[in-house]
Amino acid sequence: MKGFWMIFLFLGISTFSILSQTVVEPNQKFVWETFSFVFPEPVVVKLESTTNKKLTIYPAKRDGFFMVVRTLPWNEPLMEKVLWKESVFTRGIEPKEIQKTVGNRNFQVFQADQIRNQNALRNQVWISLDTKPALWIWIQWKSDRKDLTEFFESNLFLPL
């Protein structure tokens, strides 16, 4: 029976999905894959192991936003763009779709406000158009945090 528990413990540890957690200070460049990010305040960055590579970013000190960054498994992510909008913007208010260029990279950006759990939220999904693998970024922040609105809508999180 002891051998069973040792095998179970080993398998449980080896399949654990969080590979690492890192605290990143404000305006410190964080490099993941071939992409760089900066954040407006101290954050915890979790590198997770899934079939696709994934980062989850949370504020370290106060509530207000989170980000999920993934690489996409296909070459043309816009083929399924309606599904991406619906998966993120449940009952989105005034959804918009715009194209942005940051540095030498082009992104399709889907944006909508949302009310969730009595919080007014702003959502953006960024999909890279010209990188392989494709990059998918979901950002959600509280609308009353004007500092975050300026930071994310001015593309300051992508120091390309």
Side-chain angles (χ1 to χ4, degrees):
M1 190 68 164
K2 186 177 180 180
F4 169 77
W5 286 111
M6 293 299 284
I7 291 171
F8 179 76
L9 181 62
F10 174 74
L11 290 175
I13 290 172
S14 68
T15 59
F16 194 69
S17 66
I18 297 176
L19 297 177
S20 68
Q21 275 187 207
T22 305
V23 175
V24 179
E25 294 300 320
N27 302 314
Q28 176 185 348
K29 199 178 272 191
F30 179 80
V31 178
W32 177 71
E33 297 296 306
T34 60
F35 304 99
S36 296
F37 301 95
V38 294
F39 307 103
E41 55 193 57
V43 297
V44 174
V45 177
K46 290 182 183 181
L47 174 60
E48 297 182 40
S49 175
T50 61
T51 53
N52 305 316
K53 295 177 180 167
K54 175 183 171 188
L55 288 177
T56 305
I57 298 100
Y58 299 96
K61 296 184 178 179
R62 67 183 207 184
D63 194 21
F65 77 97
F66 79 90
M67 291 175 67
V68 176
V69 182
R70 296 175 186 240
T71 57
L72 297 176
W74 58 82
N75 290 334
E76 184 54 58
L78 294 180
M79 290 170 34
E80 302 292 333
K81 68 183 177 181
V82 173
L83 296 176
W84 285 112
K85 276 197 242 184
E86 291 173 2
S87 69
V88 176
F89 303 136
T90 307
R91 288 176 276 175
I93 301 166
E94 298 181 27
K96 295 182 214 170
E97 183 179 334
I98 56 176
Q99 193 161 344
K100 288 192 175 190
T101 300
V102 180
N104 61 350
R105 296 190 174 154
N106 295 305
F107 294 89
Q108 191 72 30
V109 180
F110 303 99
Q111 179 174 303
D113 291 331
Q114 194 172 26
I115 305 295
R116 192 180 283 178
N117 299 329
Q118 298 181 344
N119 289 308
L121 304 171
R122 171 73 46 103
N123 289 280
Q124 287 186 340
V125 172
W126 292 61
I127 300 175
S128 64
L129 300 176
D130 50 7
T131 59
K132 305 291 187 247
L135 183 68
W136 180 85
I137 305 168
W138 175 23
I139 309 166
Q140 184 177 72
W141 68 93
K142 289 185 175 182
S143 297
D144 63 351
R145 292 279 311 269
K146 300 301 179 197
D147 59 324
L148 295 177
T149 299
E150 182 176 335
F151 184 83
F152 290 119
E153 290 186 356
S154 297
N155 320 321
L156 297 176
F157 67 98
L158 288 171
L160 301 174

